[in-house]
Amino acid sequence: MQNEIQKSSLIKRGVLTLSIACASFILVNATPAEAKGPLTAEVKTETIKKTTLTEERINAVLKEAYEKFKDNQDGKNADYIKALAIVDSKIFGITLVTPDGKVYEIGDTDAKVSIQSISKVFTAAKVIQEKGEKFLQEKIGVNATGLAFNSIIAIELHGGSASNPFVNAGAIQATSWVEAKDSKERWDKIYGNMDDFAGTKLSFNEEVYDSEVNDNKNNQAISKILDARGRMGSDPLEATTVYTKQCSVNVSAHNLGVMAATFANDGVNPITGKKVLDKEYVPEILAVMATAGLYDNAGDWLYLTGTPAKSGVGGGILAVVPGKLGIGVVSPPLDKFGNSVRGQLAAAYIIDKLGINPFAQ
Ligand code: DON
């Protein structure tokens, strides 16, 4: 009898746990299974040909991409961070930068939006530079979650691990591991590192910071869970605040183009000539961008472009064609995965038309 009761209570507990798991999954992953981003096979307009990247060709394709997508009004600004909802949705700028420092741009390439999740790439780069590839792989992880970028259940589903440095969990963790004696030093290093990638002093968006820092309980909860699992390098709430600051740095398409080109140029900024990341670590950061840069839509992106890329809910997107091109696009309206619609379309078009998909070389 006692056994029966124990069995029945175990079954009830199992059913309850499963129901909670399913409910949480639906909460964090509210995107229906059939929902798609803007990338379909139609972005591939021609059989990939090897073309020479002449200035004329790059300018022509850049203009085509701008004209083709400038009137696209699909998607919607992020609004879960209130200050992002009021950013001008019409902003559309594209910048391409070659490893030898030539800049090609069109549209609103100086218009600034907050960098948001694109900042995660640079903090991960700082961590790999300071602590090495084994640390990044083992302490934070380098696998896709297949779930939304702010998922809490993804942590539990993956053994208490963030999975990778580009979801909020792994990014907050990465922030906490940047070596510093205090929070100010940690923030100064992270900010300075982004400036070095951009080759200029980036401004800070107080309005976005105030809006997010007062409304980031989900991220605070994530940091506490990771702390409970022994994965944080500093106080969890302090790290969440520094993470929120790094997301509030302003960038333009021009800045993102140069930052992308620094990766395309083996970690050396092609405009300033400064080495920002050791060449040996560039492939690892690009691999995580390819795996998880566009979150639960990363597969569709990689399938059609073959390039590492990273998006932010501010509307920026950065794509890297190693040895060939850095691409920065800004356009605030997002798809259901939190990725800029026109950003993805324009970058995918340019990669396709220039015949620079790295898998087709
Ligand atoms: O933590 C957040 O939710 C934001 N500061 C950043 C999220 C983000 O940009 C996701 N990217 N597409």
Side-chain angles (χ1 to χ4, degrees):
M1 184 60 139
Q2 189 60 28
N3 271 352
E4 283 308 306
I5 293 171
Q6 273 176 356
K7 225 198 277 169
S8 135
S9 122
L10 271 178
I11 290 168
K12 273 193 205 138
R13 247 188 286 160
V15 170
L16 184 67
T17 311
L18 195 65
S19 317
I20 293 172
C22 290
S24 317
F25 181 82
I26 289 161
L27 271 180
V28 294
N29 197 35
T31 312
E34 69 278 14
K36 283 269 172 227
L39 291 179
T40 64
E42 280 137 40
V43 302
K44 203 169 150 185
T45 54
E46 56 188 64
T47 310
I48 291 167
K49 302 193 258 305
K50 287 209 173 101
T51 50
T52 316
L53 286 187
T54 60
E55 288 189 17
E56 207 181 6
R57 179 86 187 124
I58 296 175
N59 274 319
V61 169
L62 178 62
K63 190 160 183 293
E64 276 169 38
Y66 183 76
E67 291 300 328
K68 193 169 164 68
F69 301 114
K70 74 175 181 348
D71 298 323
N72 183 317
Q73 293 182 1
D74 293 344
K76 169 169 164 303
N77 283 29
D79 55 9
Y80 76 100
I81 298 168
K82 292 180 186 62
L84 300 186
I86 53 170
V87 174
D88 183 358
S89 321
K90 292 199 238 27
I91 295 171
F92 184 37
I94 315 171
T95 298
L96 310 179
V97 182
T98 56
D100 60 358
K102 290 210 179 68
V103 178
Y104 304 81
E105 34 196 7
I106 193 161
D108 309 316
T109 53
D110 288 328
K112 292 180 185 358
V113 293
S114 53
I115 189 167
Q116 297 297 337
S117 282
I118 305 172
S119 66
K120 296 166 177 174
V121 172
F122 308 105
T123 303
K126 191 79 193 158
V127 171
I128 202 169
Q129 180 73 59
E130 289 185 348
K131 296 197 175 299
E133 52 227 333
K134 191 170 182 318
F135 181 91
L136 191 73
Q137 183 173 20
E138 290 178 2
K139 197 77 179 180
I140 299 177
V142 293
N143 284 306
T145 63
L147 291 168
F149 61 82
N150 54 0
S151 174
I152 290 179
I153 195 169
I155 303 168
E156 291 306 304
L157 286 174
H158 297 101
S161 158
S163 290
N164 70 69
F166 299 159
V167 288
N168 290 6
I172 296 168
Q173 232 193 308
T175 301
S176 80
W177 285 109
V178 171
E179 289 167 8
K181 64 177 180 313
D182 56 24
S183 189
K184 181 180 178 314
E185 191 185 355
R186 183 169 301 109
W187 164 234
D188 288 346
K189 281 175 78 174
I190 288 172
Y191 197 0
N193 185 49
M194 286 197 272
D195 290 344
D196 285 344
F197 268 94
T200 188
K201 180 79 207 138
L202 298 168
S203 58
F204 185 76
N205 194 323
E206 295 285 354
E207 199 187 347
V208 167
Y209 176 68
D210 287 346
S211 172
E212 188 171 357
V213 83
N214 292 312
D215 196 9
N216 65 351
K217 290 208 168 62
N218 192 77
N219 284 342
Q220 291 180 20
I222 285 173
S223 74
K224 288 278 196 177
I225 294 170
L226 290 166
D227 192 36
R229 302 285 179 269
R231 289 186 178 263
M232 295 294 286
S234 68
D235 175 80
L237 297 184
E238 177 267 324
T240 307
T241 301
V242 175
Y243 161 80
T244 308
K245 281 186 188 164
Q246 76 178 41
C247 291
S248 307
V249 167
N250 277 322
V251 280
S252 60
H254 178 90
N255 299 140
L256 292 174
V258 176
M259 292 165 116
T262 301
F263 280 110
N265 191 36
D266 290 335
V268 176
N269 185 309
I271 307 295
T272 63
K274 182 167 180 176
K275 188 176 89 178
V276 185
L277 175 65
D278 282 353
K279 183 177 171 171
E280 64 170 303
Y281 296 128
V282 171
E284 277 103 2
I285 296 297
L286 295 185
V288 190
M289 280 167 70
T291 308
L294 267 63
Y295 306 113
D296 31 346
N297 204 35
D300 281 301
W301 169 264
L302 192 62
Y303 185 66
L304 293 164
T305 68
T307 60
K310 185 75 205 79
S311 63
V313 289
I317 188 155
L318 161 159
V320 180
V321 184
K324 295 217 165 92
L325 206 60
I327 304 176
V329 191
V330 167
S331 169
L334 311 176
D335 68 11
K336 295 172 180 186
F337 304 98
N339 304 320
S340 167
V341 172
R342 287 191 297 191
Q344 289 174 84
L345 289 170
Y349 183 87
I350 289 164
I351 292 161
D352 177 56
K353 281 280 175 168
L354 289 178
I356 52 176
N357 179 328
F359 290 135
Q361 302 309 302

